[in-house]
Amino acid sequence: MKIEIGRDFPSHFKPAYPEEFELFSHLETAAAIPSVLFAITTYKENGKPNVCFHAWSCFHGDKTAFFAVMGELYQHTHTYRNIQRERCFCLNFLPIRDYDRLVSTIHQNELEDDEFAVGGFTREEARTIHAPVIGEAFLSVECTLRETMDLSGAGITAMVIGQVQHLSVEETHARGPQNRSGENGFMMLVPGVQNLVTGEPNPSGIATVNVERWD
């Protein structure tokens, strides 16, 4: 038997925190699809470096170009305004040991805050764009802005598409796939899946990639 969830909010769904369903669709907590975690870095209008801990994205292209497609970027944030102004951004992939440092930038992110200092990150400069780079990242992806789109039309979130211009990869992660999985590799968000029967929430998980098979 399958449980069906539609566009109408299920009356028995309970939020994990008061504003959850003001921020996220109930369909997201019902699907709970994992995605990779990373930090978007930009410069604020006053020159201070900005860090945005983010997921909800995918990466793909063809032989002519490679793209980062970031969903659910809130339009009221420094990050969205910075990307619109500077027309570029950097994506920084860090291992799970840096999770708490990245979370600290969520809680201290005012205009005057140097969010690299907040997280204790080394600031480097991108090679091809005007954006800061987290020195501790094992993979940094420099992007120019290709397009933004308000998918819902509600003025809340936007999909941001960046065209990748340059990659920087630590040598430890450049010789094969092993270090890109496990505790030194990609960090994943496993969204808290709603109990579809009782409506009770569950906590989100932070995971690493465990390769079950090489193909």
Side-chain angles (χ1 to χ4, degrees), residues 68-127:
V69 182
M70 303 187 299
E72 214 163 281
L73 192 62
Y74 282 90
Q75 295 182 38
H76 71 272
T77 61
H78 294 303
T79 299
Y80 183 74
R81 293 197 300 271
N82 297 342
I83 291 173
Q84 293 282 66
R85 184 183 63 257
E86 299 289 342
R87 312 296 293 177
C88 63
F89 53 91
C90 186
L91 309 182
N92 305 264
F93 296 83
L94 294 101
I96 196 166
R97 61 177 170 270
D98 291 311
Y99 176 80
D100 289 335
R101 299 166 70 188
L102 289 163
V103 168
S104 70
T105 68
I106 298 173
H107 300 301
Q108 192 174 338
N109 64 354
E110 297 300 325
L111 181 63
E112 294 301 323
D113 289 323
D114 177 337
E115 295 179 38
F116 275 61
V118 171
F121 296 119
T122 302
R123 185 171 113 190
E124 300 176 358
E125 295 300 321
R127 305 294 192 272

Side-chain angles (χ1 to χ4, degrees), residues 122-143:
T122 302
R123 185 171 113 190
E124 300 176 358
E125 295 300 321
R127 305 294 192 272
T128 62
I129 59 173
H130 182 236
V133 176
I134 296 178
E136 290 77 6
F138 64 82
L139 170 64
S140 297
V141 180
E142 300 177 15
C143 300

